[in-house]
Amino acid sequence: MAVVKNVALTETAAFGLGTVGALVAQRFADLIAPLDLKPKHVGLLTLLSSSGAASQLDMARAMGVAPSLVVRIADHLERLAAIDRVRDPDDRRRQTLTLTKRGRELLATCTEITEYLEEEILDGMSASERRALRSALRHVAENLGPATD
Amino acid sequence: MAVVKNVALTETAAFGLGTVGALVAQRFADLIAPLDLKPKHVGLLTLLSSSGAASQLDMARAMGVAPSLVVRIADHLERLAAIDRVRDPDDRRRQTLTLTKRGRELLATCTEITEYLEEEILDGMSASERRALRSALRHVAENLGPATD
DNA sequence: TGTCAATCATTTACTTGGTGAACGATTGAC
DNA sequence: GTCAATCGTTCACCAAGTAAATGATTGACA
């Protein structure tokens, strides 16, 4: 009876990253839910904040998501008055997205939430353990992300 | 213009765990797809392997998922001949699930795949870095899992 | 012993988050 | 000036999950 082998499975970093990642994502989703935001909304706001104005197609590519999905995400953010959506006068096919004041406020709140979550997650870990984790995550992201060549 | 602040966000362990976790999960899903398995199928097989025979409700609870979803998962695994599904003679409401030989074979293949993925993920990391990551993941899982009190 | 509430698996209808194809307006190459 | 390509939008669809209703079975108990 080869029962013992499976123990090893759940001890791998692969398994741990998958399950812990899902836990963290769910926790984040729960924390931002009262703001009427989903993770993808925050993703768009974050991208927009670091890139400045951008078209929906730009966002779709950066988020790795279909353009038709960006429509729905932007619809929602516009309803929340978090983004402005104006036709690019130089190319009237393009819809240019920009953060509004309200959008920056929401993003700031999400940043606070993330900082709170960060503490929750890393509670009880030493500074060097935290550094090691963040560094390992960067390493793994590089290993898995040949998509970003 | 408070643009610089967002950089910090994407540097947190929270953010990293979320995104890297999703990458790993997707990679795993891609690797098992040729076996006609999804992550939840492997989850059920793994649980079954470590717990021995179990009812569908047991599995639903252990997986944190609705019983009606377990029906579909078990349907599929039964179609693959990976599990046996027999009415418990002592309580004919219960459906007892057990791994078949084929199920153990599939699970063994998934274990190999996980080991392969583990190497892909940790490529270029030292033994102590790997140990630190696995330990940190356990730590985070404990911090987030007061559900398992 | 017979009734009745609870339990397990299942089916069904529904929601959510995602895709891709078709379409309309617009652009730009030629 | 025409015509293919591009951008955003809508639409129909798919996958994965839930919850509620149903049927069979069980067990408590008057």
Side-chain angles (χ1 to χ4, degrees):
Chain A
M1 49 178 76
V3 176
V4 196
K5 280 177 61 181
N6 326 17
V7 178
L9 240 186
T10 62
E11 294 297 331
T12 60
F15 183 92
L17 280 169
T19 58
V20 170
L23 281 177
V24 172
Q26 184 57 55
R27 185 82 177 103
F28 182 69
D30 291 345
L31 288 169
I32 61 176
L35 302 174
D36 199 8
L37 291 175
K38 303 273 171 77
K40 292 267 142 108
H41 300 134
V42 180
L44 182 45
L45 292 179
T46 304
L47 278 175
L48 219 45
S49 161
S50 72
S51 75
S55 76
Q56 293 188 185
L57 193 59
D58 290 340
M59 293 296 94
R61 286 201 246 265
M63 298 174 72
V65 113
S68 53
L69 182 55
V70 175
V71 173
R72 298 210 288 234
I73 296 172
D75 281 351
H76 186 71
L77 290 173
E78 197 179 20
R79 223 175 298 125
L80 294 180
I83 60 173
D84 273 335
R85 204 186 206 176
V86 304
R87 290 272 161 194
D88 181 344
D90 294 344
D91 181 349
R92 299 184 32 71
R93 288 168 304 181
R94 275 185 155 90
Q95 199 88 267
T96 303
L97 309 183
T98 49
L99 275 185
T100 62
K101 183 170 187 334
R102 176 73 185 133
R104 281 186 296 272
E105 288 169 6
L106 279 173
L107 190 51
T109 305
C110 290
T111 302
E112 285 171 26
I113 286 175
T114 303
E115 284 160 4
Y116 168 78
L117 178 56
E118 183 79 354
E119 196 40 53
E120 190 172 274
I121 280 174
L122 301 181
D123 183 54
M125 292 180 52
S126 74
S128 78
E129 284 174 313
R130 295 171 184 219
R131 232 179 299 118
L133 174 57
R134 295 202 185 95
S135 148
L137 288 174
R138 267 195 306 274
H139 200 133
V140 173
E142 275 174 29
N143 281 350
L144 277 183
T148 62
D149 273 343
Chain B
M1 47 177 73
V3 176
V4 197
K5 278 177 59 181
N6 324 20
V7 178
L9 240 186
T10 63
E11 296 296 331
T12 60
F15 183 91
L17 280 170
T19 60
V20 169
L23 282 176
V24 172
Q26 184 57 55
R27 185 83 178 100
F28 182 69
D30 291 345
L31 288 170
I32 61 175
L35 302 175
D36 200 7
L37 291 175
K38 304 273 172 75
K40 291 269 141 107
H41 300 136
V42 180
L44 181 45
L45 292 180
T46 304
L47 278 175
L48 219 44
S49 161
S50 73
S51 75
S55 76
Q56 294 188 185
L57 193 59
D58 290 339
M59 294 295 95
R61 289 201 245 263
M63 300 174 70
V65 111
S68 53
L69 182 54
V70 175
V71 173
R72 299 210 289 235
I73 295 172
D75 281 349
H76 185 72
L77 290 173
E78 198 179 22
R79 224 176 299 124
L80 294 181
I83 61 172
D84 273 335
R85 204 187 204 174
V86 304
R87 291 273 160 196
D88 181 344
D90 294 345
D91 182 347
R92 300 184 33 71
R93 289 168 303 180
R94 275 186 155 88
Q95 199 88 266
T96 303
L97 309 182
T98 49
L99 274 185
T100 63
K101 183 170 187 335
R102 177 71 185 135
R104 281 186 295 271
E105 289 169 6
L106 279 173
L107 190 51
T109 305
C110 290
T111 303
E112 285 171 24
I113 287 175
T114 304
E115 284 161 3
Y116 167 80
L117 178 56
E118 183 79 353
E119 196 41 54
E120 190 172 275
I121 281 174
L122 300 181
D123 183 54
M125 291 181 51
S126 74
S128 77
E129 282 173 314
R130 294 172 184 218
R131 230 179 302 119
L133 174 57
R134 295 202 186 94
S135 147
L137 288 174
R138 267 194 307 273
H139 200 133
V140 173
E142 274 174 30
N143 281 350
L144 277 183
T148 63
D149 272 343

